[in-house]
């Protein structure tokens, strides 16, 4: 029987090293550690990221910092170094148990001198105590006796793809423990880690402490006979200056408190915490093993990225699992990942939205710098919520030339996306405290930005947003992108209704907030006036929306004519060339229809869906595309397209369909996949009045079951049958 909870690798394929490091990431919403091996392997990325620990760097402004390597474990078997690049690998398996985030690697290795050893490695990052992680190595010599040596500690020499961020502050070793204290170079965030090593063997164990600079190490050795097992356990604690004033004491204290509690004790608490996560978040799909495993895999990655105890961090586009986008957060969080949290783990959703609240000052600063009012959220956001989109990046095909990146300047829809997410969270949770204390300020300050960014077109008598980039980034510097315009219109109207609601339900707090942000009645009138006159590019005869002004005049190239290909339309045409044709990178009009179904007459939905589907680069464009396409296809009754795109999203990281999964998990695709199942096939839709369910299951699905939280109550959905009628 297929195990629908385990991601497995049946043999070692060095060419998939980076991809599998991403897939086998372990984490707990505080830290994420890529699935590099304990022993080093050429080309590996031995990476641990901790939420919120950013440091400056050229071009990209800021990036998550790679922590000291806690996985490192050098193994010497009767004088020979264990190394997968040498000797012979007789068997190899790796398994990630999604139920509890346990990563296990089992192998048999014959050394160059012909000695065979059976080994098992296990690791987890504790979900019960996010400052703790554990690693275990069990070795059994099969055909030799000799000395087994381990060298392991904390390697502070780690870098971020060659860039070093750490300054050394101190270190030490004591008995079977060692610790390391560092500080990031520019952002001045301290970090401390401490480890304890314990070796169990039938023979005596000798331990030495090596106080190597920036690499405190414990060296243990013991003797083993054939068939005799030696086990090493490494327990790690980790704190940063973001958690506490004195991370070093905290890390050492934590380690001391874990003394006497071995792997088993820590494991039990950890596994219990995971059990509760899955009780709340699991999605059951019967009749489609690939879909079942993929949805659990993607939920696992969302859960290990979701900050449970920190409301000053967000989730980067590649979660905590790789260097892609340097840990920066985009609209990927609010529009793609957040719904999963809002509907299953609202506490995490609240933390993520609170990050945006705390970063309102950065957004106000950005608006002011650009000559606007209110708050303009950055397209890419890191530690303090300032804009960190690189302005110029090296051209990958010609390193001597630079490419200008415009998204940070003009991809402004993110401010409405964040307001949308705040509204969605409020609607689903009715968390009044959040809305009153935080959400309202986000929504109102960003509405004020829209009002000041809108330009009056005297000739047409409407308001416009000129020189923007919509979700489809193949086209930049466009005027009146439909998504941007209509999201802004919805946002301005939402702001008005939030003001009315606040006045009615919390008059005193409302008055304080309006004073704080200097909101007057005439602001509201102006917002209303703008919303009522925003340019809405719908052809009254056909119902077709023009994605932006002049889009229909661009050359209409069929996607089919580009086949066969294994690259995006943009890399085939070049940046300027792609701007000239109608092919789009990801759903744009369809995205609008998905988020705001009420903004367009229902009769016009299909014509738009059909028109843009033919022109969307779903195979090689953005990984954000397929899940949304799947949802819209489900809603508009094209089941074949729905499933095809659902599977595309399901495979994004498991099968590395874009060839860049090594850079980290595509967090938006993971969140989009959950939405495709719940909002697409499950047919869940929400409004102020409540929720409705219009399921449309793929024909071969026998059952779809999931839970969601609606205003504090858990709702269980259990759909059966070919098209899921009834629940
Ligand atoms: C997509 C954006 C997305 C970003 C980060 C880009 O390729 O077009 O929509 O926010 O990647 O995932």
């Amino acid at each position: 029987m297929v195990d629908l909870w385990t991601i497995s690798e049946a043999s070692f394929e060095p060419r998939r090293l980076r991809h599998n490091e991403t897939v086998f990431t372990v984490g707990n919403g505080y830290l994420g550690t890529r699935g590099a091996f304990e022993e080093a392997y050429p080309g590996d990325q031995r990476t641990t990221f901790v939420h919120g620990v950013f440091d400056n760097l050229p071009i990209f402004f800021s990036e998550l910092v790679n922590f000291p390597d806690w996985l490192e474990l050098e193994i010497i078997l009767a004088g020979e170094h264990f190394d997968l690049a040498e000797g012979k690998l007789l068997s190899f398996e790796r398994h990630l148990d999604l139920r509890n985030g346990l990563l296990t690697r089992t192998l048999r290795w014959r050394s160059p001198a012909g000695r065979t050893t059976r080994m098992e490695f296990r690791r987890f990052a504790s979900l019960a105590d996010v400052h703790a992680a554990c690693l275990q190595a069990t070795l059994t010599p099969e055909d030799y006796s000799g000395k087994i040596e381990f060298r392991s500690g904390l390697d502070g020499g780690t870098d971020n793809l060659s860039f070093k961020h750490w300054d050394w502050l101190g270190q030490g070793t004591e008995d079977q423990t060692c610790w390391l204290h560092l500080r990031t170079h520019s952002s001045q965030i301290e970090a401390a880690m401490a480890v304890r090593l314990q070796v169990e063997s039938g023979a005596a164990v000798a331990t030495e402490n090596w106080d190597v600079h920036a690499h405190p190490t414990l060296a243990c050795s013991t003797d083993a006979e054939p068939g005799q097992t030696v086990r090493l356990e490494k327990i790690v604690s980790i704190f940063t200056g973001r958690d506490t004033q004195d991370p070093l004491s905290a890390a050492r204290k934590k380690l001391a408190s874990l003394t006497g509690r071995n792997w088993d004790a820590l494991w039990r608490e950890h596994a219990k915490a995971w059990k509760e996560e899955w009780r709340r978040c699991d999605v059951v799909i019967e009749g489609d093993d690939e879909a079942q495993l993929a949805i659990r895999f993607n939920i696992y990655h969302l859960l290990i990225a979701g900050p449970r105890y920190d409301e000053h961090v967000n989730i980067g586009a590649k979660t905590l699992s790789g260097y892609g986008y340097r840990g920066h957060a985009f609209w990927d969080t609010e529009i793609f990942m957040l719904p999963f949290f809002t509907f299953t783990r609202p506490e995490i959703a609240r933390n993520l939205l609170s990050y945006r609240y705390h970063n309102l000052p950065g957004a106000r600063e950005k608006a002011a710098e650009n000559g606007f009012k209110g708050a303009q959220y950055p397209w890419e956001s890191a530690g303090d919520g300032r804009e960190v989109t690189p302005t110029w990046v090296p051209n990958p095909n010609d390193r001597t030339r630079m490419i200008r990146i415009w998204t940070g300047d003009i991809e402004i829809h993110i401010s409405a996306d964040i307001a949308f997410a705040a509204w969605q969270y409020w609607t689903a949770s009715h968390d009044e405290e959040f809305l009153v204390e935080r959400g309202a300020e986000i929504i109102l300050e960003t509405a004020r930005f829209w009002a000041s960014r809108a330009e009056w077109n005297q000739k047409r008598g409407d308001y416009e947003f000129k020189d923007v980039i919509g979700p489809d980034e193949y086209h930049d510097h466009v005027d009146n992108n439909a998504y941007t315009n209509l999201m802004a219109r919805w946002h301005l109207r939402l702001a008005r209704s939030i003001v009315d609601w606040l006045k009615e339900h919390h008059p005193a707090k409302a008055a304080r907030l309006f004073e704080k942000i200097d909101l007057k009645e005439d602001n509201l009138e102006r917002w209303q006036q703008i919303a009522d006159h925003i340019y809405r590019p719908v052809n009254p005869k056909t119902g077709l929306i023009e994605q932006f002004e002049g889009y229909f005049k661009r050359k209409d190239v069929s996607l089919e004519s580009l086949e066969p290909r294994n690259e995006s339309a943009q890399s085939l045409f070049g940046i300027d060339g792609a701007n000239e044709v109608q092919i789009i990178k990801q759903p744009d009009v369809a995205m609008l229809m998905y988020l705001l179904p009420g903004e367009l007459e229902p009769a016009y939905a299909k014509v738009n869906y059909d028109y843009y589907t033919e022109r969307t680069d779903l195979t090689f464009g953005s990984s954000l595309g397929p899940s949304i396409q799947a949802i819209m296809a489900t809603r508009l009754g094209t089941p074949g397209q729905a499933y095809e795109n659902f599977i595309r999203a399901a495979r994004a990281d498991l099968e590395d369909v874009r060839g860049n999964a090594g850079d980290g998990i595509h967090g938006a695709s993971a969140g989009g996949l959950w939405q495709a199942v719940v909002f697409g096939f499950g047919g869940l839709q929400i409004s102020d009045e409540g929720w409705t369910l219009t399921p449309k299951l793929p024909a071969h699905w026998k059952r779809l079951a999931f839970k969601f939280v609606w205003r504090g109550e858990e709702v269980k959905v259990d759909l059966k049958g070919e098209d899921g009628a009834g629940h």
Side-chain angles (χ1 to χ4, degrees), residues 317 325 330-332 379 411 471 473 585-586 622 624 668:
Y325 293 118
F330 297 65
W331 72 317
D332 302 39
W379 176 244
E411 193 155 354
E473 294 173 347
K585 183 177 181 187
Q586 64 205 77
S622 168
L624 279 61

Side-chain angles (χ1 to χ4, degrees), residues 170-338:
Q171 69 179 65
T173 59
E174 195 178 44
D175 302 329
Q176 283 161 307
T177 68
C178 64
W179 50 267
L180 182 60
H181 187 197
L182 305 167
R183 187 171 55 210
T184 55
H185 195 68
S186 339
S187 57
Q188 302 266 299
I189 302 174
E190 285 186 30
M193 294 172 82
V195 303
R196 178 161 54 88
L197 225 60
Q198 205 170 322
V199 175
E200 280 172 39
S201 149
V205 179
T207 308
E208 278 178 51
N209 298 345
W210 298 349
D211 210 4
V212 182
H213 181 73
H215 194 168
T217 304
L218 302 160
C220 308
S221 60
T222 185
D223 291 315
E225 301 292 324
Q228 199 184 324
T229 291
V230 175
R231 172 168 300 158
L232 167 135
E233 247 175 50
K234 183 173 183 180
I235 308 229
V236 184
S237 68
I238 173 166
F239 279 86
T240 78
R242 296 188 63 259
D243 312 316
T244 163
Q245 287 247 313
D246 184 354
L248 178 58
S249 304
R252 297 191 66 191
K253 243 201 230 148
K254 168 68 66 187
L255 192 73
S257 79
L258 299 176
T259 304
R261 278 157 73 213
N262 59 6
W263 169 288
D264 292 336
L266 292 167
W267 169 257
R268 269 196 299 277
E269 292 158 18
H270 163 80
K272 199 169 144 211
W274 264 109
K275 204 168 170 191
E276 175 58 11
E277 291 291 348
W278 284 111
R279 191 195 66 69
R280 298 168 75 166
C281 305
D282 190 22
V283 170
V284 177
I285 297 172
E286 287 176 12
D288 188 339
D289 290 351
E290 181 180 8
Q292 174 67 86
L293 194 57
I295 188 73
R296 286 191 174 135
F297 170 76
N298 283 284
I299 291 175
Y300 163 82
H301 274 285
L302 291 167
L303 286 173
I304 64 167
R308 284 160 183 74
Y309 309 106
D310 193 341
E311 53 175 52
H312 291 266
V313 296
N314 205 298
I315 303 178
K318 304 284 183 167
T319 68
L320 291 173
S321 61
Y323 289 96
Y325 293 118
R326 313 284 167 157
H328 297 177
F330 297 65
W331 72 317
D332 302 39
T333 305
E334 281 76 16
I335 295 298
F336 292 83
M337 299 184 234
L338 205 89

Side-chain angles (χ1 to χ4, degrees), residues 493-694:
R493 288 179 175 160
L494 170 75
R496 174 91 237 196
S497 69
I498 295 285
V499 166
D500 293 344
W501 184 90
L502 280 175
K503 280 188 188 157
E504 189 186 335
H505 294 90
H506 297 273
K509 285 188 172 161
R512 267 205 301 280
L513 174 62
F514 301 158
E515 199 186 316
K516 176 180 171 195
I517 63 173
D518 193 24
L519 190 73
K520 307 260 163 44
E521 200 48 48
D522 51 337
N523 292 123
L524 300 176
E525 276 160 26
R526 190 172 138 71
W527 294 2
Q528 185 75 50
Q529 155 83 4
I530 294 174
D532 291 345
H533 293 89
I534 282 180
Y535 177 65
R536 184 173 173 266
V538 184
N539 181 320
K541 281 204 203 100
T542 59
L544 206 55
I545 300 179
E546 186 166 35
Q547 188 182 290
F548 55 84
E549 273 195 283
Y551 170 82
F552 290 139
K553 292 203 194 94
R554 311 266 159 138
K555 204 165 158 214
D556 199 9
V557 175
S558 92
L559 273 168
E560 253 167 46
S561 69
L562 308 183
E563 300 299 340
R565 65 180 172 129
N566 55 9
E567 55 190 324
S568 73
Q570 192 181 50
S571 65
L572 281 173
F573 289 109
I575 294 176
D576 294 338
N579 232 322
E580 293 311 314
V581 298
Q582 287 195 23
I583 293 171
I584 62 174
K585 183 177 181 187
Q586 64 205 77
D588 195 303
V589 169
M591 187 78 212
L592 173 70
M593 298 197 298
Y594 168 48
L595 296 182
L596 301 179
E599 292 295 307
L600 185 73
E601 297 73 358
Y604 294 164
K606 186 77 166 60
V607 65
N608 281 289
Y609 170 82
D610 287 342
Y611 188 88
Y612 287 103
T613 296
E614 273 182 30
R615 290 158 180 84
T616 311
D617 190 0
L618 288 159
T619 38
F620 295 102
S622 168
S623 67
L624 279 61
S627 53
I628 304 305
Q629 189 72 21
I631 298 170
M632 291 315 292
T634 311
R635 289 195 182 164
L636 295 168
T638 47
Q641 279 176 7
Y643 192 74
E644 184 191 332
N645 283 293
F646 164 78
I647 277 295
R648 253 185 207 134
R651 292 180 184 160
D653 289 313
L654 278 169
E655 307 272 323
D656 194 10
V657 292
R658 285 185 166 69
N660 64 357
D663 295 342
I665 288 290
H666 293 82
S669 177
L673 193 75
W674 182 88
Q675 294 187 57
V677 172
V678 171
F679 298 153
F681 302 136
L684 177 65
Q685 275 187 281
I686 66 155
S687 69
D688 293 334
E689 279 75 52
W691 56 269
T692 57
L693 214 58
T694 5

